[in-house]
């Protein structure tokens, strides 16, 4: 208020009352214009800050990281053989999430040029030009280092190294293989499965435990139906961009369908084996039946895709895969408490 009055005085010194009203009016108008400019600038700054933050999140492949964190909770409980202190779980999720996000971001840095060739990826922060390479690389390094340090400091060298090995497998091995051989999916499945060892070893499990590797088996197997559906749905874009995927090398999709069926069957086998690893009582049989029932929709979708390879059966297979993984992990985790 005082400023307004000061402004009014400065504006009106040495002028008639009528001129004063106009000047004050103008001054007020200017003040209003200035303040509305300020408000709109402020809102623009807020919006651009929101958009920048959204791009950094998008760089990490948040949907994949979210599902990886779901597997991290399950494998942490399994490694602990029971409950895990809430704060430990929070730090585990922060550390794993940052390392996984760094891997996803590094993959997008690596593929920033070829991602322009696919409609599915062209709108990403780097290929679209919304984010600078320096900002992306700095962010990638920062969250990767911070996440690895958190895992190391709170849970020890083994979980931290599991994260580093996963990061390297995905970024340095899998990513360059994508344009060279369709065997990239096998390496990607290993990279996508290794994070289960982070949660498992962070909360008491050992790398020598069969349970940990059966969990790896569940994730490796699951990724075939999951990705073969995606490889089919985006086959044309993959082919035009020069990626070597099962559906570009063998365009009928028969190989992809067979891999999806085999992956579903191996997933069931690994899940049932995990149900019996503690004992072979009634609950082991009950849990096994639940594992079969939870994977069955994906097995059925794989068979339907095998019989009729089109975008409808392909999308149904992808959707079923995204529901099946959490269900299987819930059942095998409950076996820890049952
Ligand atoms: C061989 C390994 C894998 C490959 C090649 C792969 C590939 C992909 C691709 C290309 C997409 C994006 C689809 C799109 O743009 O709509 C995607 C989506 C997704 N992936 Fe995977 N993925 C793999 C492993 C994993 C793993 C290990 C997880 C987590 C446990 C995972 C969880 C997801 C989720 C949740 C989505 C989002 C699906 C959606 O929102 O429609 N994927 N995957
Ligand atoms: C803890 C840690 C380091 C976790 C990392 C694990 C991780 C990010 C796995 C992703 C699995 C995978 C192959 C995704 C597809 O990438 P893509 O390059 O085929 O997807 P795109 O074509 O959409 O870029």
């Amino acid at each position: 208020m005082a400023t307004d009055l000061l402004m009014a005085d400065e504006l009106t010194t040495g002028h008639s009352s009528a001129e004063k009203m106009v000047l004050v009016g103008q001054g007020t108008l200017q003040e209003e214009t200035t303040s509305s400019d300020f408000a709109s600038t402020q809102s623009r700054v807020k919006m651009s800050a929101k958009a920048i933050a959204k791009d950094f999140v998008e760089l990490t492949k948040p949907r994949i990281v979210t599902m990886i964190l779901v597997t991290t909770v399950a494998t942490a409980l399994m490694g602990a053989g029971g409950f895990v202190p809430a704060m430990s779980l929070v730090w585990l999720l922060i550390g794993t999430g940052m390392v996984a996000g760094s891997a996803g971001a590094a993959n997008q840095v690596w593929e920033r040029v070829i991602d322009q060739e696919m409609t599915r990826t062209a709108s990403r922060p780097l290929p679209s030009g919304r984010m600078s390479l320096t900002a992306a690389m700095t962010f990638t390094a920062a969250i990767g280092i911070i996440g690895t340090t958190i895992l190391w400091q709170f849970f020890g060298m083994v979980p931290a190294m599991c994260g580093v090995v996963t990061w390297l497998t995905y970024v340095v091995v899998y990513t360059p293989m994508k344009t060279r051989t369709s065997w990239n999916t096998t390496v990607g499945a290993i990279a996508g499965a290794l994070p289960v060892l982070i949660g498992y070893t962070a909360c008491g499990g050992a790398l020598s435990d069969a349970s940990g590797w059966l969990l790896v088996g569940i994730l490796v197997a699951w990724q075939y139906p999951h990705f073969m559906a995606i490889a089919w749905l985006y086959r044309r874009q993959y082919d035009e961009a020069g990626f070597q995927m099962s559906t570009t090398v063998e365009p009928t999709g028969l190989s992809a369908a067979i891999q999806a069926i085999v992956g579903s069957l191996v997933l069931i086998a690994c899940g049932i084996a995990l149900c019996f690893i503690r004992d072979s009582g009634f609950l082991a049989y009950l849990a096994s039946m639940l594992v079969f029932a939870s994977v069955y929709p994906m097995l059925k979708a794989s068979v339907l895709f095998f019989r009729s390879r089109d975008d409808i059966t392909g999308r149904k297979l992808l959707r079923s895969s995204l529901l099946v993984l959490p269900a299987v992990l819930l059942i095998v985790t409950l076996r820890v408490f049952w």
Side-chain angles (χ1 to χ4, degrees), residues 59-61 97-109 140 143-144 163 166-168 170-171 175:
L59 197 66
T60 65
K61 300 191 179 185
M98 292 179 89
V99 178
S102 171
N107 167 277
Q108 291 196 32
V109 165
T140 301
I143 63 171
T166 308
W167 195 99
L168 292 172
Y170 177 54
V171 177
T175 304

Side-chain angles (χ1 to χ4, degrees), residues 107-129:
N107 167 277
Q108 291 196 32
V109 165
W110 190 303
E111 293 189 320
R112 62 190 181 280
V113 175
I114 197 169
D115 273 351
Q116 291 171 352
E117 306 301 319
M118 287 202 295
T119 314
R120 178 176 67 82
T121 55
S123 62
R124 286 176 167 173
L126 285 169
S128 66

Side-chain angles (χ1 to χ4, degrees), residues 252-305:
T252 70
L254 183 63
S255 166
I258 293 169
Q259 291 178 67
I261 291 172
V262 172
S264 301
L265 293 171
V266 171
L267 170 52
I268 291 171
C270 290
I272 289 177
L274 212 42
C275 291
F276 278 92
I277 202 148
R278 274 176 54 204
D279 61 57
S280 53
F282 165 74
L283 287 178
Y285 285 94
L286 176 63
S288 301
M289 286 188 290
L290 290 174
V291 163
F292 180 81
S294 62
V295 181
Y296 179 74
M298 187 170 73
L299 175 61
K300 183 180 171 193
S302 301
V303 171
L304 289 176
F305 176 64

Side-chain angles (χ1 to χ4, degrees), residues 63 118-121 226-241 243 245 247-248 311 314-315 318:
R63 296 190 299 276
M118 287 202 295
T119 314
R120 178 176 67 82
T121 55
H226 164 72
F227 179 62
M228 289 308 148
I230 291 167
W232 174 261
L233 293 170
Y234 293 106
R235 59 195 182 282
R236 293 184 193 89
Q237 293 185 36
Y238 275 127
D239 194 33
E240 284 156 17
F243 285 106
M245 299 298 171
T247 51
T248 59
D311 287 3
R315 192 148 298 282
L318 174 56

Side-chain angles (χ1 to χ4, degrees), residues 41-316:
T41 308
Q42 212 180 20
S43 66
R44 275 203 303 274
V45 166
K46 272 187 192 155
M47 275 172 62
S48 60
K50 221 169 167 182
I52 291 169
K54 186 172 175 295
D55 270 344
F56 277 112
V57 170
E58 196 54 35
L59 197 66
T60 65
K61 300 191 179 185
R63 296 190 299 276
I64 293 180
V65 172
T66 303
M67 185 75 96
I68 284 177
L69 293 181
V70 168
T71 69
T72 302
V73 173
T75 55
L77 295 172
M78 295 197 72
F83 288 111
V84 173
M87 274 323 292
S88 296
L89 210 47
V90 166
W91 282 114
L92 176 63
L93 292 176
I94 292 171
T96 306
M98 292 179 89
V99 178
S102 171
N107 167 277
Q108 291 196 32
V109 165
W110 190 303
E111 293 189 320
R112 62 190 181 280
V113 175
I114 197 169
D115 273 351
Q116 291 171 352
E117 306 301 319
M118 287 202 295
T119 314
R120 178 176 67 82
T121 55
S123 62
R124 286 176 167 173
L126 285 169
S128 66
R130 293 195 309 273
M131 184 182 289
S132 73
L133 181 58
T134 308
M137 291 178 75
T138 307
F139 174 74
T140 301
I143 63 171
I145 292 167
I146 294 168
T148 303
T149 306
I150 288 172
L151 290 175
W152 174 36
Q153 289 301 306
F154 283 86
F155 304 100
M157 189 55 80
V158 171
M161 283 302 107
C162 287
V164 170
V165 168
T166 308
W167 195 99
L168 292 172
T169 307
Y170 177 54
V171 177
V172 181
V173 184
Y174 165 75
T175 304
M177 281 179 75
K178 289 172 67 180
T179 52
R180 290 171 172 81
T181 165
S182 61
W183 283 97
N184 71 71
T185 306
T186 304
V187 176
I190 293 167
L194 286 177
V196 302
L197 293 176
I198 298 173
Y200 186 76
T201 58
C203 297
L207 286 178
S208 54
D209 296 350
S211 301
W213 294 102
L214 281 172
L215 283 166
V216 170
I218 283 177
L219 262 292
V220 168
W222 171 80
Q223 290 170 86
Y224 280 88
H226 164 72
F227 179 62
M228 289 308 148
I230 291 167
W232 174 261
L233 293 170
Y234 293 106
R235 59 195 182 282
R236 293 184 193 89
Q237 293 185 36
Y238 275 127
D239 194 33
E240 284 156 17
F243 285 106
Q244 297 297 306
M245 299 298 171
S246 182
T247 51
T248 59
V249 169
E250 196 279 291
T252 70
L254 183 63
S255 166
I258 293 169
Q259 291 178 67
I261 291 172
V262 172
S264 301
L265 293 171
V266 171
L267 170 52
I268 291 171
C270 290
I272 289 177
L274 212 42
C275 291
F276 278 92
I277 202 148
R278 274 176 54 204
D279 61 57
S280 53
F282 165 74
L283 287 178
Y285 285 94
L286 176 63
S288 301
M289 286 188 290
L290 290 174
V291 163
F292 180 81
S294 62
V295 181
Y296 179 74
M298 187 170 73
L299 175 61
K300 183 180 171 193
S302 301
V303 171
L304 289 176
F305 176 64
F306 173 81
R307 284 185 185 154
S308 163
R309 294 183 294 281
D310 57 50
D311 287 3
I312 294 170
T313 55
R315 192 148 298 282
K316 279 182 181 167

Side-chain angles (χ1 to χ4, degrees), residues 1-13 24 28 31:
M1 199 50 185
T3 315
D4 294 350
L5 287 175
L6 183 65
M7 279 289 286
D9 282 348
E10 277 169 358
L11 275 171
T12 57
T13 307
V24 170
T28 312
E31 272 179 31

